[in-house]
Amino acid sequence: MHLTEDEAYYRLWSFSPALGYEDHPPMIAWWIWLGRHLAGDTPLGVRLLPTLASAATGLVAFDLARLSGAGARLASRAGILFNAMLLVLAGGFLAVPDAPACLFWVLTLDAGLRARRAKALAWWSAAGLAAGLACLSKYSALFIAPGMILWLASDREGRTALRTPGPWLAALIAAAVFALNIAWNAEHQWLTFAKQFGRVAAHDFQPRYLVELVAGQILLSNPIVAILALSAAFKRPRKVGLVLRPFVLMGAPFAAYLVVHSLHDRVQAHWPVPLYPLVALFAAAGAEALKGRAAWLARIAVPTGFVLAAALLAMLLAPGRWFGRYDAALPVRGWGAFSARLEGVRRSSGAAWIGTSSYGLAAELAGERALTAPVIQIAERERWRDLAAAPKPDMSRPGLIVDLTRRVNPTALKVCFNSVKPLGTFTRGDPGEVGKPYAVFAVSGPRVDILAGGCAGA
């Protein structure tokens, strides 16, 4: 499967290993770098570590259940239900920051439970290391700290633990690891912090996003798994052997943030993924407690997840004409033919470089071997600072500008270039089927320094 736009962008990061980038902390770039060296610069190499991490997260969900008092049967059910979640089955292989964030998040909880049981500094140190690595994956992992404190402060044994060096050693190690990214941000005008934490501020009240969040997560977590988890949350089964309170408390701060954020802005579908292993534990408890006629829900949870995921993955292989404009696989269709056609137009027009308005398209085209000229994004040039790039384009020579018709701004192009000539609209997608329309322009004579400041509004 062709890389998505974000995956293609993170792949470019991996050619310039650093302690931070504009959009996210560095972990996903490090993972892709390692995967490419192990399995080649291919979709498999890019996605190798995220795929393994998804499998490992299911095993940790099993271990979390065991540590919380579950027997082998119930713990196995928790691990399997995690793997039966639609977003895990059909998206767990994607090379996005949520993959390492989710794994290190649950490893932190696992080590914390072991540390509290064994009262061992080694496990507290492991929890701190995992938490720090989670923060180097995605800033949402910062909610681990208040969650752990809330859990420890909730009972006498936990409050006793807070008076020992262990939890504070964990916090110190986590802070030391995360300090790597803090130092990078300090050297780069707090670039990532400004971008990500700027989302927190509320602008207006939009409760429709909360409805979208709830509905979307019920679907993406597998509707049957969601029903089982909700039954455990409301009925509080007491005889299944699984203590759920620690997971409620440890996940509560992050869950509360998602709800608050959804009251003024959209919560992206993948943001809640670190909570999915905890949802699987609830679903396992709910399934175990079902009796009589309701027990059939537990039996169909896993088949439902696999059938839905298989249908979604099959869409990637099925002809696009079956779905028309509703083709969910369109973002990954037709890149080879599209880039080959674009290369032909570039050669015939004498263009020496290719420019795009969006970072995602620039990243996609940069990975296409059919294109032999440098590819640049002519807007948002700050995204590309410190990144290893293709050979520097000769901006004194003509170029091509290509992007989705809805994204290209011809007026802005005319401000930035002396000559702007439309070359038509190209479609990307399966041959003869509904596709994405891209406008192509031949440009020459830049009026501004495109590489330094970009073309405003393009």
Side-chain angles (χ1 to χ4, degrees), residues 378-382 448-456:
I378 63 172
E380 299 182 297
R381 293 300 302 161
E382 64 276 5
V448 296
D449 190 338
I450 299 292
L451 295 180
C455 178

Side-chain angles (χ1 to χ4, degrees), residues 17-35:
L19 296 175
Y21 302 89
E22 179 186 0
D23 297 79
H24 289 290
M27 187 62 68
I28 189 59
W30 298 352
W31 277 26
I32 294 174
W33 179 92
L34 181 57

Side-chain angles (χ1 to χ4, degrees), residues 1 12 32 56-57 60 74 79-81 89 116 126 136 171 177 210 255 282 313 349 365-366 416-418 443:
M1 180 182 128
L12 294 182
I32 294 174
T57 303
V60 179
L74 179 54
I80 293 170
L81 286 174
L89 276 170
R116 178 165 166 171
L136 287 183
V177 173
L210 176 59
F282 274 77
L313 293 173
S349 66
L365 295 179
C416 298
F417 296 94
N418 288 318
V443 299

Side-chain angles (χ1 to χ4, degrees), residues 371-385:
L371 296 175
T372 59
V375 179
I376 64 168
Q377 183 190 8
I378 63 172
E380 299 182 297
R381 293 300 302 161
E382 64 276 5
R383 283 182 178 275
W384 308 93
R385 184 175 61 180

Side-chain angles (χ1 to χ4, degrees), residues 4 14 19 30 37 53 65 67 70 138 153 158 171 175 184 199 238 266 291 299 308 334 351 370 399-400:
T4 64
S14 74
L19 296 175
W30 298 352
H37 282 75
L67 290 171
K138 200 167 184 181
W184 181 91
R199 296 177 173 180
R238 300 180 182 277
R266 175 172 286 111
K291 304 297 181 184
R299 291 193 292 271
L308 290 174
L400 288 184

Side-chain angles (χ1 to χ4, degrees), residues 379-432:
E380 299 182 297
R381 293 300 302 161
E382 64 276 5
R383 283 182 178 275
W384 308 93
R385 184 175 61 180
D386 300 331
L387 292 187
K392 187 176 179 179
D394 183 356
M395 302 302 294
S396 66
R397 298 180 60 190
L400 288 184
I401 301 296
V402 56
D403 218 308
L404 292 170
T405 53
R406 61 179 173 82
R407 285 200 296 231
V408 175
N409 185 346
T411 302
L413 293 181
K414 292 176 181 178
V415 172
C416 298
F417 296 94
N418 288 318
S419 175
V420 178
K421 297 179 180 179
L423 298 182
T425 300
F426 296 174
T427 299
R428 178 186 55 77
D430 289 344

Side-chain angles (χ1 to χ4, degrees), residues 228-428:
L228 295 173
L230 289 171
S231 71
F234 288 108
K235 293 184 178 180
R236 300 180 183 178
R238 300 180 182 277
K239 297 181 180 180
V240 298
L242 179 59
V243 180
L244 297 172
R245 186 168 62 92
F247 305 112
V248 174
L249 297 173
M250 286 188 280
F254 183 44
Y257 163 73
L258 293 175
V259 170
V260 171
H261 188 93
S262 70
L263 294 176
H264 69 87
D265 200 358
R266 175 172 286 111
V267 172
Q268 298 300 320
H270 52 84
W271 289 4
V273 163
L275 299 177
Y276 275 30
L278 310 186
V279 173
L281 298 180
F282 274 77
E288 198 75 10
L290 289 178
K291 304 297 181 184
R293 295 180 179 179
W296 65 272
L297 277 173
R299 291 193 292 271
I300 69 169
V302 173
T304 297
F306 274 79
V307 168
L308 290 174
L312 185 57
L313 293 173
M315 182 182 291
L316 301 175
L317 304 177
R321 64 176 177 273
W322 291 5
F323 311 101
R325 68 181 62 187
Y326 304 105
D327 183 10
L330 191 54
V332 296
R333 292 192 193 276
W335 284 102
F338 177 74
S339 59
R341 184 181 181 189
L342 193 61
E343 175 68 4
V345 172
R346 184 195 69 78
R347 289 177 180 273
S348 63
S349 66
W353 51 272
I354 296 174
T356 73
S357 299
S358 69
Y359 74 90
L361 180 57
E364 291 277 26
L365 295 179
E368 291 297 324
R369 291 178 173 82
L371 296 175
T372 59
V375 179
I376 64 168
Q377 183 190 8
I378 63 172
E380 299 182 297
R381 293 300 302 161
E382 64 276 5
R383 283 182 178 275
W384 308 93
R385 184 175 61 180
D386 300 331
L387 292 187
K392 187 176 179 179
D394 183 356
M395 302 302 294
S396 66
R397 298 180 60 190
L400 288 184
I401 301 296
V402 56
D403 218 308
L404 292 170
T405 53
R406 61 179 173 82
R407 285 200 296 231
V408 175
N409 185 346
T411 302
L413 293 181
K414 292 176 181 178
V415 172
C416 298
F417 296 94
N418 288 318
S419 175
V420 178
K421 297 179 180 179
L423 298 182
T425 300
F426 296 174
T427 299
R428 178 186 55 77

Side-chain angles (χ1 to χ4, degrees), residues 98 181 208 361 421 454:
D98 306 270
N181 182 248
R208 63 188 175 91
L361 180 57
K421 297 179 180 179

